[in-house]
Each structure stands twice: as C-alpha cells, then as structure tokens.
C-alpha cells in the first residue's frame, strides 16, 4: 500500500483513496465545501487545495487520489505522496479561495438563519482574512426565493457548491435543480415549471454549507446556538432514521438526520422531519382523566393507579375474554415489555394486538410503508401484529373493556370501519386510552392516561432491518405524563403484583432478557448508530 | 523573408473549393485511399508520430502521442472530436479552412479515425459560424455520397461516421471537456480531470479531440510522409502554420508560413507593417490568452522555444498588433470583460476573480484607480492562476499579469493622473 505523509502523520493508504478522505479519517482537517461523502466529486469550490510535494500547483484534496510511485522515485526515499496542509502555498490558496467566495456574498449573517452553523462563517474565522479587498458594489441576486414547499432560497448567499443539485440528481434522482447563467451570474435554479418538491427536499438544506437554502418550517424559529440537541430516532416509519432532535425551552423545533451508515446514511425524509410541525396541532394533556358525568375530569396521579385497577377489576367480572388490548408499534421495546407484563398480571394472560399501519409504498431510498418504528421489536418480543391495515373493529366488537395504547384507532380508520370502531367502543363498559395527545379515540375514553411523547422518554426500537437504536429524552415532560412502562409499574404495584421499578433502565433490563441478541448489549454499545441484531427465525 | 506556403491553404481562393469534385481534382482524398488500401492503422499513426505534428488549438500537444493514448483495437467504441469552436479573441484561422477547404479537414479526421480505429467523429462548430456549419455539413453529405464516409469506406472494410454539431455561443465550449459536455446536451462546463478524454470522453467513451488545423495537416503528412513534414519550419514544432494577424497592421489576414517564422518579419513584411506607419506598442502573439509582448520583444521566432524566451506562448498563433494609439489598460479591460463574461461559473477563483479583475481594471481606466491597484491585480491574478479546474482561469490571469507588468508605467500613469492618458487619441486612428 502507498505510504503517504500528511503534515507530520505517516499514513498507509489504499490506492485510489483521496487525500481529503484520508486526512479527515486521521483527524487532519482540510476545509471543503462542494465535497460531500455521499455525493459525487466535482472539485469546483477549490477550498480544499493543498500543496503536494513535487507538483507545481496546489491540488484539490477531494479529487486527488493516492497512487504509488516506483521504488526509485519515492519522496524522501519512502513516501508516495507528501501533502502539506499548513504550508504557505496551501494557506495562500485557502485565503485566496475564501476571499473569492465571500466577494459577492452579502455578509448578512445578522439576519441569516444559518449563522452559527455556517461553514462560510467557520472557515472565515479559521482560514480567512479579516477583511475583503473588494471596493465595489457586490453582485446582487434574488433573496427569499420560494423554490419548494419546504425550502427557501437566498441566491446571494449561494456559493455554487452544487451539493443541492447533485443531491437531487444522484440521491432522489428527481433532478429539479440546475445551474443557470454563467460566470459571476451563475445561480442555482429549478428547471422551468418545476419546484424543489420531492419527499426528501429538506435534505438540500442539510447539505447546503451556507445560508442559501433554509427550511421554511425552521427558519427564524431560534438561533441555533440556543438549541439543545439530543440524539434520537425518527418515529414515522419502520426505517427509524437516526436523528438529532433540536429543542428550545421544551419545544421540538427541528429534526436533523444523523449520518448513520447502518440505517439512513446522511438523509431523512421530509415527512419524518416535519413531525415537529404536526406535533404543534396536537392537544396534549398533562394529567390523567376520568370520565365523570359525561366529562373527562383531571385527577392527580397519586391514587390514580388504584382507581384504574379498581375499574378494570370490576369491569372484568367475567374474566379477560371480555377485554381487548391494542398496543402500538410506536411503543419502544420497554413499553412493549411492560404491556406484556400487564397482559399477564392484570388481564389474565390475554394477548394484545398491534395494528400494522401501512401507507403508500416503500421507496428505494428510505421511506417504508410500515408507518410504525418498532414493529420488528414487537415480533422479537412475541407480540401479535395484525395483517397490513387489517380492520381493528373486529378486535373490539362485542368486548366490554378496551385498553388502547399509543394508537388512535378511530382517527386512523375511515368510512364504515371508523363507524364500526366508534360503535364498538361506545358500547363498552370501560375504555382506557393511553396516549400522548387527546386523539379521536381518547375522546371516547372513560379513562385517559397521559403518556410521554416520543421525545419525552427513553426507549429502544428495532427497525425493519433489525437494527436496535435508542431514543432519547429530548424534553422533560410534566411529572404526570409518563412513559407507558412507568404507568405499568405503578399499575401492577397497585394490584399487588411485583413489578420492575418505574424507570427506563429497570424495564430495559427486562427487554435485554427477552430479546434475542440484546442480552450482552450495553446502552453505550447501542449509541450512537445502533446495533444490528441477529436474524431470528420466523 | 520566409516564403508564403500553399499547403494548408492550397485550395483557398480556388473556385468551388468547398466542393468534393474540385477537392478531388487537386489530389484530394488520394491520401485517404493510399492509407486505406496500402497502409495499416499503425503505419498511419507512425507517420503522424514521425511528423512531430503539434496540436494547433493552443496547447501544442503532440498529436500522434495523443492518438496513441486511446485504447487499441475496435473492441471499445471510440470517438474523435474536431474542435471547431474557434472563439479565442484574435484567432480566425480555422474559419478560413472550414469555409474554404472543408474536405481537407474531413479527410484528416477520417485518416485519424483509421489510425485510431475510432467508430466516428463529432465536428463541433462554433454557433456563430452558420456559414461554416452549412459548408461543412455539405462536405460531410458529399463525402457520404462518394463513399468516403459510411460503413465500408472505399471497400476497405473500415467504417467511419461524422456528425456535425453546433455550439450555442460559449467560449468555454472550446475547452475539450466542456465541449464534450455541450456535445452531450449538458451545460458547457469543463470536467474534472482525471479521467482524461482518452479514457472517458464523449458519452463516456474513449475519445480524442484535436483542433481543425491539426486535422487539416494529416492528409499532407500521409501524402508526403512524416519526415518531409518534420523538416518544415522549427524542428520543435514543425510544419506549416496559419498565422492570423489582426489589429493595427496594413494587411490583416491569415498567413501560411513555416512554423518558427520571425514575429517582426510576420508583422512588418507579410502583414505590411503598422497601420498609419505609427510606432508599434504591443503584440499578443498567440490569441488573447497568452502574455503580451512589448515592441522591443518581437525579434523572436514563432515557435515554443522562441516565445518562451520572452515569456509567452504560440497559443493559437493569432497575432494581435497594437500601435501607440492603444491604451493598454483599456485593451486589458476589453479582454477581462470577455473572460468575466465567458467564465462558466463552475469553480470559484475564475468565477469571482475574473469579475473582480474586470471591476478593478475598469476603475483604473475610468480614472478611479487607487495606489496599490496594480499589486491587487497581480495578487488576484495569482490567486486564480493554477487554482481552477480548466485553463480559462489561467487564460484570464496570464494576460492580466503580463499587461500589468509589461506596461506597468501606463497603469501607474492612469492611477497617478486619475484619467486615461490616451483618452484623446485612442478613438481615432489616422490611416
């Protein structure tokens, strides 16, 4: 293998590896804009120019591959390539390119939403000169161009790295974007009559190194340095994309994909990302409710578990055959384990069922038609799952008691099926709904248990490929909004049944015992990219 | 005084010179018949290598060597490209050939195709040459009619097709890989190299690209032999050469002379001397992209070695002559407007740098220049030089550096006086 020296690091590198990849892998930072690990190499921003010994001009680190020299031509007797990322030649090239990039850039950082996470800002501090030598009117270009349902384009800020163009060409293959015009007037544009409208369009905002492309939903919500970030998992399909959840004062402001080669690469779909928008429309309750005189009335948690247990016990006089338990693929493994414990302890061994909610079709990038993140986890724990979009009314019809957790069975259903579910629930003696929001189903409940949202609790989920990942508590919920495993602990205790402590770790220990392949996994093994569980037989 | 040659221009000025019959009447397509029936592809390539033919597009790369970079044999589909996107300011030699002797170019292309066993060729002609396009297309049609193109050329078993394609008016499409992108219907932007065209060219196939004049030389080489050709003119870059002389000379035009002709002789003897018998000020010897020479630097031979001595290049051999009425700042403004306009916008230094240089130069010319502007021009130019994907950046930076250093006193005078010292004379030239 060729031996290459970058600064004072000696690296053995496979032939064909580029200088930039090697340097980054070994902790040497070479600045770059147009290069992106998942996109083709174009070498056009020229930011990564470095001095390579024996070559008269600086070379782009992103596109220059390592090759081996014949033994008698080795540099200093042993190197196939010697790169200097700190030399005068390199520094002059970097300063020159940065000055050019900023030449017609509006420098409107104070009103730019990218400020704080802008590569142009960062490199200017690290590699640039404090002042520009341009003494002319800058070239102006349109601002606030509405190029798609979720993306706004500021043409002036664009540095023409073409990452967004390549994303739409190479990743989504939708080709909405191109470079138009020439020279200093060159600009990214949508093709005539087209909008930047594909299921992954906000990824262009992620790949944009500057403030040219910003997200309509997130822009101006908050300065990024005020955000608190946690690593979690997207809940909107069985892919379970690794995400970073950015919150401010308890509100989820945005989801950003985390580069995870096991699951989603650097991308995620707009639908999953915009869960933060849909959450705004929910009516969220902070306290348990019990129907009294036709109205749901808030009650305090102390004593609530006893009320719950008493009502269930009195309604199940004829045994568990009168009950229906609906679990959800939204529940993490720990909640599912808790659900199993409730089945055994409270409902006399009655099995619950998870609706397999599907919408649309799988695409060839990330999106899965199975809209729940932990259906595979249910299978691993031995929970029953219905057929694809199978009617839930048949599970409820004729029962006296229902416990529905994290599924809005009424809201998801349509037409006669919806009426059938409503009728079945209305005819019951006791309907208990446990959910984050006051859903259509919850409106029919006799007892409502407020559950922590996906962003308010810890848990582990297994995606369709069998990769187990950990959700994080991005926001601390009000005290009475609990994860279902906490509810289960309290409920079981109130019925006098031994239960694990009301905590994530206690229930996670149960999960590790129950799920094949998780026995020896520590939480730190699962972070940050998850672990592929061994395939188990059907 | 070097004798004017009638080799490349042998048919120029003849009646119906673009017609296949008149071309054949003067021995046209005979070299092709010889090659197809009596020579192997290797022999044709050998003659071209022996001739030491250097590319006429500007870079002067040995043509035979370039052809030999293509993979051998006919297993892979290979293409040739003829670069007829002649758009370098001061260069108009290819147009003369296209409009007067298209069959010579075509014959050269077929010979090159035979030597490299290529499947076909693309003739990419500048969009602003509608007449040349019509003439060349007719020549191609005639060649098909006479069996010089097609499946089985003259019964030799060798098949070769030529497609004529028009550009849409971009200087950058004269750069070989931008041309290929344009040919494929894509945006005319140079490609990152490697891969080089010989491995990944038009439509991703191995490709070879040469200039019009380069191909037009090939029939001469096959007819007379590589050794004959190599003996013409300067040994380092031999052969006849078309010099396009423009600007302040009495007889502007294209002159066919041996390579390595003396620049002073070219201007004063062949082109008739300076317009208005005024003093000479500056000469750009090889198209606008090469460094400019002062009047006292023109006693040089027009070959790579001769011009290297004075720090410039043969380029496309388009000689731009400027007499003492020319303001060098204004001339440079004109050129930089061109480069800023023609920069494709793909890579940063050229996109931003050419525009900035244009603004600085305009400011100096308009009397608003500041002390330090010349150094700024030099520094910005050096930040472009060698930092871009394609040679357009260098092509803009090199003349800027040369103008600002060779004529620094004139730049300084503009800045010092706050006006263009030439303002009253450069508009009119008394003849």
């Amino acid at each position: 293998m060729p031996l290459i020296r970058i600064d004072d690091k000696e690296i053995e590198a496979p032939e064909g590896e580029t200088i930039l990849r090697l340097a980054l892998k070994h902790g040497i930072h070479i600045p770059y804009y147009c290069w992106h690990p998942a996109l083709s190499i174009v070498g056009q921003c020229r930011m990564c120019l470095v001095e390579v010994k024996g070559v008269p001009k600086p070379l782009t680190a992103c596109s220059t591959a390592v090759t081996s020299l014949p033994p008698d031509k080795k540099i200093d007797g042993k190197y196939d390539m010697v790169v200097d990322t700190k030399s005068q030649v390199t520094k002059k090239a970097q300063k020159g390119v940065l000055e050019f990039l900023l030449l017609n850039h509006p420098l409107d950082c104070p009103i730019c939403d990218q400020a704080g996470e802008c590569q142009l800002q960062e490199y200017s501090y690290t590699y640039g000169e404090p002042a520009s030598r341009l003494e002319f009117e800058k070239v102006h270009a349109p601002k606030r161009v509405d190029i798609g349902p979720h993306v706004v384009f500021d043409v002036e800020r664009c540095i023409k790295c073409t990452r967004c163009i390549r994303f739409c060409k190479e990743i989504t293959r939708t080709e909405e974007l191109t470079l138009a015009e020439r020279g200093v007037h060159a600009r990214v544009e949508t093709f005539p009559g087209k909008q930047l409208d594909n299921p992954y369009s906000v990824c262009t905002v992620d790949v944009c190194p500057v403030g040219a492309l910003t997200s309509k939903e997130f822009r101006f919500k908050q300065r990024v340095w005020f955000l608190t970030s946690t690593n979690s998992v997207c809940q909107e399909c069985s892919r379970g994309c690794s995400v970073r959840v950015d919150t401010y004062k308890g509100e989820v402001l945005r989801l950003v994909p985390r580069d995870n080669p096991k699951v989603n690469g650097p991308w995620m779909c707009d639908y999953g990302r915009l869960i933060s928008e849909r959450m705004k429309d929910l009516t969220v309750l902070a306290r348990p409710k019990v129907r009294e005189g036709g109205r749901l009335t808030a009650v305090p948690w102390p004593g609530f578990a006893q009320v719950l247990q008493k009502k269930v016990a009195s309604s199940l006089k004829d045994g568990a055959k009168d009950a229906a338990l609906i679990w959800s693929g939204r529940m993490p493994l720990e909640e599912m384990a808790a659900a199993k414990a409730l089945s055994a302890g409270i409902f006399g061994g009655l099995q619950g069922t998870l609706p397999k909610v599907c919408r649309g079709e799988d695409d060839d990038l990330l999106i899965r038609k199975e809209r729940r993140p932990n259906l595979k986890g249910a299978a691993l724990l031995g929970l029953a799952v219905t057929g694809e979009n199978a009617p839930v009314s048949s599970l409820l019809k004729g029962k006296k008691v229902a416990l529905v957790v994290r599924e809005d069975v009424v809201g998801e259903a349509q037409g006669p099926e919806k009426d059938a579910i409503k009728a079945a629930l209305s005819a019951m003696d006791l309907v208990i709904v446990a959910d984050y929001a006051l859903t259509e189903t919850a409106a029919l409940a006799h007892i409502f248990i407020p559950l922590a949202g996906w962003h308010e609790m810890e848990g582990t989920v297994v995606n369709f490929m069998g990769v187990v990942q950990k959700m994080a508590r991005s926001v601390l919920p009000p005290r009475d909004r609990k994860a279902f495993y906490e509810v289960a602990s309290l409920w079981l205790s109130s019925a006098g049944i031994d239960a694990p402590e009301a905590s994530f770790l206690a229930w996670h220990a149960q999960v590790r015992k129950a799920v094949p392949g998780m026995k020896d996994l520590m939480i730190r093994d699962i972070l940050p990219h998850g672990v592929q569980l061994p395939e188990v037989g059907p | 005084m070097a004798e004017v040659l009638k080799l490349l221009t042998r048919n120029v000025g003849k009646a119906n010179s673009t017609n296949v019959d008149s071309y054949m009447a003067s021995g046209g397509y005979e070299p092709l018949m010889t090659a197809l029936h009596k020579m192997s592809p290797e022999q044709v390539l050998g003659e071209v290598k022996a001739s030491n033919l250097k590319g006429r597009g500007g870079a002067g790369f040995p043509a035979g060597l370039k052809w030999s970079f293509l993979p051998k044999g006919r297993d892979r589909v290979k293409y040739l490209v003829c670069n007829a996107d002649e758009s370098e300011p001061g260069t108009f030699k290819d147009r003369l050939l296209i409009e007067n002797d298209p069959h010579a170019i075509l014959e050269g292309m077929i010979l090159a195709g035979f030597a490299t066993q290529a499947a076909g060729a693309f003739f990419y002609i500048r969009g602003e040459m509608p007449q040349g396009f019509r003439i060349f297309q007719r020549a191609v049609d005639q060649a098909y009619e006479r069996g010089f193109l097609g499946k089985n050329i003259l019964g030799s078993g060798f098949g070769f097709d030529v497609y004529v394609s028009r550009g849409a008016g971009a200087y950058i499409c004269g750069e070989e890989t931008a041309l290929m992108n344009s040919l494929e219907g894509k945006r005319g932007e140079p490609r990152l190299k490697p891969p080089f065209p010989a491995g990944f060219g038009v439509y991703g196939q191995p490709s070879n690209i040469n200039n019009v004049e380069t191909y037009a030389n090939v029939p001469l080489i096959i007819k007379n032999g590589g050794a004959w050709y190599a003996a013409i003119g300067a040994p380092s870059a031999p052969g006849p050469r078309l010099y396009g002389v423009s600007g302040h000379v009495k007889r502007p035009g294209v002159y066919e002379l041996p390579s390595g002709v003396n620049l002073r002789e070219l201007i004063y003897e062949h082109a008739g001397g300076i317009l208005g018998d005024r003093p000479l000020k500056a000469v750009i010897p090889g198209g606008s992209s090469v460094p400019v020479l002062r009047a006292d630097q023109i006693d040089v031979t027009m070959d790579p070695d001769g011009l290297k001595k004075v720090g410039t290049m043969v380029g496309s051999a388009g000689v731009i002559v400027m007499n003492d009425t020319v303001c060098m700042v204004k001339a440079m403004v004109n050129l930089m407007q061109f480069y800023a306009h023609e920069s494709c916008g793909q890579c940063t230094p050229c996109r931003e740098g050419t525009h900035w240089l244009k603004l600085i130069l305009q400011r100096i010319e308009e009397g608003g220049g500041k002390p330090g502007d010349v150094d700024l021009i030099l520094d910005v130019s050096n930040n472009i030089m060698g930092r871009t994907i394609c040679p357009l950046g260098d092509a803009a930076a090199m003349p800027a550096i040369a103008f600002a250093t060779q004529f620094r006193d004139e730049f300084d005078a503009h800045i010092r006086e706050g006006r263009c010292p030439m303002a009253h004379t450069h508009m009119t030239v008394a003849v």
Side-chain angles (χ1 to χ4, degrees):
Chain A
M1 268 203 289
L3 182 66
I4 158 170
R5 201 182 80 207
I6 306 181
D7 298 344
D8 43 20
K9 268 206 176 118
E10 284 187 7
I11 303 164
E12 271 204 78
E15 194 129 349
E17 184 69 318
T18 61
I19 297 174
L20 183 57
R21 277 180 181 275
L22 266 186
L24 294 178
K25 205 164 121 192
H26 290 84
I28 301 164
H29 194 77
I30 299 173
Y32 60 88
Y33 288 114
C34 67
W35 182 79
H36 187 285
L39 302 174
S40 62
I41 297 170
V42 290
Q44 62 190 46
C45 74
R46 317 308 280 180
M47 194 61 230
C48 67
L49 287 171
V50 286
E51 182 179 9
V52 178
K53 198 168 181 183
V55 182
K57 24 185 207 181
L59 299 178
T60 45
C62 69
S63 67
T64 306
V66 174
T67 47
S68 49
L69 292 174
D72 56 321
K73 297 258 171 65
K74 301 265 190 219
I75 303 166
D76 296 344
K78 57 175 178 174
Y79 299 117
D80 294 277
M81 192 181 260
V82 173
V83 179
D84 195 338
T85 71
K86 309 268 188 302
S87 71
Q88 284 313 306
V89 172
T90 304
K91 282 186 177 157
K92 174 102 172 80
Q94 287 170 342
K95 278 192 166 63
V97 170
L98 258 180
E99 186 179 32
F100 285 139
L101 282 171
L102 288 168
L103 205 65
N104 287 301
H105 185 84
L107 294 174
D108 54 354
C109 311
I111 57 156
C112 175
D113 210 45
Q114 189 84 359
E117 53 182 4
C118 173
Q119 293 296 305
L120 207 49
Q121 268 186 341
E122 281 167 28
Y123 288 168
S124 294
Y125 284 114
T126 319
Y127 303 99
E129 288 284 357
S132 169
R133 292 177 290 175
L134 181 86
E135 297 173 313
F136 303 93
E137 179 78 16
K138 292 187 184 231
V139 174
H140 293 293
K143 298 181 87 73
R144 297 175 292 280
V145 180
D146 184 0
I147 61 166
H150 304 299
V151 184
V152 181
F153 180 31
D154 186 309
V155 186
E156 277 188 346
R157 293 178 191 153
C158 174
I159 59 166
K160 283 75 138 178
C161 73
T162 70
R163 277 185 184 180
C164 54
I165 298 177
R166 281 174 283 145
F167 173 79
C168 293
K169 193 169 171 178
E170 296 162 12
I171 306 298
T172 62
R173 297 195 291 273
T174 44
E175 305 211 36
E176 293 98 341
L177 299 175
T178 185
L179 210 57
E181 300 295 337
R182 284 195 315 219
V184 80
H185 303 290
R187 62 175 189 273
V188 174
E189 252 186 21
T190 48
F191 278 103
K194 271 205 170 184
Q195 283 254 301
L196 175 55
D197 186 7
N198 65 55
Y200 300 88
S201 68
V202 189
C203 288
T204 57
V205 175
D206 298 335
V207 297
C208 181
V210 299
L213 297 175
T214 48
S215 143
K216 268 188 195 169
E217 284 78 11
F218 176 70
R219 68 201 305 251
F220 309 132
K221 289 287 153 58
Q222 193 46 260
R223 282 305 197 182
V224 293
W225 52 85
F226 292 128
L227 299 176
T228 307
S229 300
T230 39
N231 289 344
S232 195
V233 183
C234 175
Q235 301 291 305
E236 291 299 50
C237 79
S238 60
R239 169 77 56 178
C241 291
S242 291
V243 295
R244 194 186 76 213
V245 182
D246 286 349
T247 62
Y248 179 71
K249 289 193 175 170
E251 191 188 354
V252 176
L253 290 188
R254 69 170 173 184
L255 268 62
V256 183
R258 274 189 291 136
D259 193 349
N260 184 352
K262 284 199 189 103
V263 176
N264 54 313
W267 321 121
M268 77 179 290
C269 74
D270 292 355
Y271 184 81
R273 187 191 302 260
L274 296 176
I275 189 173
S276 55
E277 298 310 297
R278 292 190 296 280
M279 280 163 67
K280 287 178 188 161
D281 301 332
L282 302 178
T283 310
V284 183
L285 300 180
R287 301 182 65 190
K289 295 210 170 192
V290 176
R291 193 171 293 276
E292 279 168 17
R295 285 185 58 221
L296 281 172
T297 315
V299 295
W301 247 108
F304 172 64
Q306 284 76 11
V307 175
L308 197 57
Q309 172 54 19
K310 210 156 56 188
K311 290 236 178 192
V312 170
S314 63
S315 303
L316 282 183
K317 283 189 290 284
D318 298 337
K321 67 176 170 44
D322 285 339
L325 306 175
I326 308 284
W327 312 128
S328 168
R330 286 196 181 109
M331 299 158 76
L333 290 172
E334 291 72 18
E335 287 193 339
M336 287 178 177
K340 281 184 80 170
L342 277 181
S343 288
I346 308 290
F347 294 94
L350 176 71
Q351 277 268 346
T353 313
L354 285 84
K356 183 174 187 174
V357 181
C358 293
R359 235 171 287 138
E361 287 302 321
D362 296 348
D363 72 2
D364 55 0
L365 190 49
L366 297 177
I367 297 171
R368 307 283 301 172
K369 65 178 176 183
E370 295 166 7
R371 304 309 302 185
R372 298 291 178 259
N374 200 22
L375 283 172
K376 180 94 173 183
L380 291 175
L381 278 172
L383 292 176
V385 180
T386 67
E388 207 173 287
N389 292 332
V392 182
S393 56
S394 56
L395 299 170
L396 301 171
K397 212 168 277 174
K399 305 284 182 184
K400 286 186 184 156
V401 176
L403 171 60
V404 184
V405 183
R406 288 199 191 279
E407 280 294 348
D408 181 10
V409 286
V410 178
E412 296 277 357
Q414 273 161 0
E417 164 68 2
K418 188 171 189 146
D419 298 336
I421 296 175
K422 270 189 179 171
L425 289 175
S426 305
M428 287 189 191
D429 296 342
L430 179 62
V431 176
I432 307 167
V433 175
D435 211 332
Y436 170 61
L438 189 68
T439 59
E440 284 185 56
T441 314
L444 301 172
H446 300 104
I447 298 179
F448 177 78
I449 310 172
L451 293 186
W454 64 273
H455 59 301
E456 293 174 333
M457 63 174 178
E458 289 181 281
T460 48
V461 289
V462 185
N463 83 346
F464 79 102
M465 297 180 290
V467 175
V468 58
Q469 294 188 86
K470 185 173 171 300
M471 299 153 58
R473 188 180 243 184
S474 309
V475 170
L476 205 60
R479 208 184 48 186
D480 281 357
R481 207 147 76 206
K482 298 174 190 298
F484 191 64
Y485 47 74
E486 294 171 287
V487 174
S489 291
L490 298 171
W491 189 344
L492 287 165
S493 309
S494 73
I497 299 164
D498 255 1
E501 187 192 324
S503 75
F504 164 72
L505 281 180
W507 284 101
H508 184 64
Q510 303 292 316
V511 169
R512 280 174 58 187
K513 277 185 223 156
V515 176
M518 279 185 74
K519 190 162 155 281
D520 300 321
L521 283 186
M522 306 297 284
I523 296 285
R524 65 168 170 273
D525 300 329
I526 299 176
L527 296 171
H529 292 330
V531 172
Q532 174 74 53
L533 295 179
E535 197 58 50
V536 283
Chain B
M1 180 169 144
E3 201 184 326
V4 174
L5 302 175
K6 276 300 231 181
L7 295 166
L8 289 167
T9 54
R10 61 192 178 278
N11 294 321
V12 175
K14 284 188 188 163
N16 290 325
S17 68
T18 64
N19 193 297
V20 67
D21 292 319
S22 16
Y23 182 66
M24 290 177 74
S26 60
Y29 286 116
E30 275 168 24
L32 178 64
M33 295 178 210
T34 314
L36 289 180
H37 295 303
K38 295 186 182 138
M39 294 170 82
S40 69
E42 291 74 26
Q43 281 173 312
V44 175
L45 180 62
E47 283 305 319
V48 174
K49 277 188 167 170
S51 75
N52 198 16
L53 169 64
K54 298 283 173 74
R56 298 290 203 252
F61 196 81
L65 184 60
K66 201 176 193 178
W67 296 2
S68 65
F69 290 156
L70 285 175
K72 307 282 171 281
R74 283 201 82 129
D75 316 336
R76 288 187 70 187
V77 172
K78 292 171 286 187
Y79 295 121
L80 300 185
V81 181
C82 180
N83 186 344
D85 192 61
E86 182 179 56
S87 32
E88 174 90 354
T91 309
F92 45 89
K93 59 177 181 80
D94 292 342
R95 188 172 66 190
L96 183 87
L97 290 177
I98 297 165
E99 291 178 358
N100 288 280
D101 204 2
H103 285 285
I105 307 163
L106 195 53
E107 187 178 1
M109 289 167 69
I110 305 168
L111 282 165
F114 178 66
T116 56
Q117 291 294 296
F122 297 91
F123 186 84
Y124 184 93
I125 184 166
R126 184 177 176 191
E128 293 91 329
M129 293 188 193
Q131 193 184 358
F133 165 71
R134 282 192 295 273
I135 290 170
F136 199 85
Q137 183 63 61
R138 195 175 68 123
V140 169
D141 295 343
Q142 287 178 339
Y144 272 106
E145 281 165 26
R146 302 298 167 96
F148 298 128
L149 284 174
K151 282 210 160 55
N152 180 8
I153 298 174
L154 306 175
S156 66
F158 173 69
F160 193 70
D161 289 299
V162 171
Y163 304 91
V164 187
S165 183
R166 295 184 69 186
Y171 172 65
I172 192 61
C173 291
E175 196 278 339
E176 54 183 14
T177 53
L179 185 152
M180 289 173 186
N181 274 346
S182 170
L183 201 56
E184 294 175 17
K186 299 176 182 153
R187 185 175 153 87
E189 274 179 351
R191 299 174 181 171
L192 196 63
K193 289 184 257 187
F196 293 95
F200 188 96
V202 183
Y203 298 106
Q205 298 302 123
S207 303
N208 173 74
I209 178 162
N210 284 118
N211 169 262
V212 167
E213 188 186 337
T214 314
Y215 283 122
N217 272 299
V218 179
L220 293 173
I221 292 166
I222 299 307
K223 183 181 172 197
N224 301 301
W228 165 85
Y229 188 90
I232 301 171
S236 62
R241 182 113 208 194
L242 298 180
Y243 297 97
V245 187
S246 62
H248 293 148
V249 287
K250 289 179 183 164
R251 289 196 300 271
V254 176
Y255 293 89
E256 184 181 2
L257 294 160
S259 72
V261 70
N262 183 285
L263 180 55
R264 178 177 295 278
E265 177 192 324
L266 177 64
I267 295 168
Y268 282 92
E269 309 289 335
H270 298 285
I274 309 302
L275 197 62
D277 290 320
R278 301 187 69 105
L280 176 68
K281 187 186 230 177
V283 180
I284 301 176
S288 66
S289 303
V290 308
V292 65
L293 295 175
R294 292 191 314 270
D296 57 2
Q297 292 175 310
I298 63 164
D299 289 298
V300 286
T301 51
M302 287 285 285
D303 57 70
D305 300 333
L307 289 174
K308 202 177 169 186
K309 284 181 202 145
V310 285
T312 187
M313 293 176 278
V314 193
S316 61
V319 179
I320 306 171
V321 179
M322 290 172 265
N323 71 10
D324 66 335
T325 64
V326 175
C327 167
M328 296 312 285
V329 178
K330 183 152 185 154
M332 194 58 229
V333 169
N334 181 304
L335 285 182
M336 199 50 74
Q337 278 172 337
F338 172 79
Y339 289 112
H341 182 70
E342 296 295 343
S343 167
C344 80
Q346 179 182 209
C347 70
T348 312
C350 168
R351 177 182 71 230
E352 306 289 339
T354 51
H355 172 76
W356 191 10
L357 285 175
K358 179 187 82 176
L359 295 178
I360 303 167
L361 287 159
Q362 277 173 342
R363 169 164 88 180
I364 299 173
E365 172 62 11
E366 287 159 8
K370 293 184 178 177
D373 269 3
V374 178
D375 293 323
L376 185 58
I377 290 171
L378 295 176
D379 193 51
V380 172
S381 301
N382 281 319
N383 279 342
I384 302 174
M385 273 284 272
R387 309 273 166 82
T388 53
I389 291 177
C390 85
L392 196 146
D394 292 357
M398 274 192 299
I401 294 171
F403 269 72
T405 46
Q406 295 271 53
F407 298 93
R408 178 144 194 164
D409 48 349
E410 216 174 305
F411 280 70
D412 286 341
H414 275 74
I415 296 168
R416 196 173 53 245
E417 295 174 24
R419 64 172 193 129
C420 173
M422 311 289 293
H424 297 292
T425 54
H426 78 274
M427 295 303 290
T428 51
V429 178
V431 180

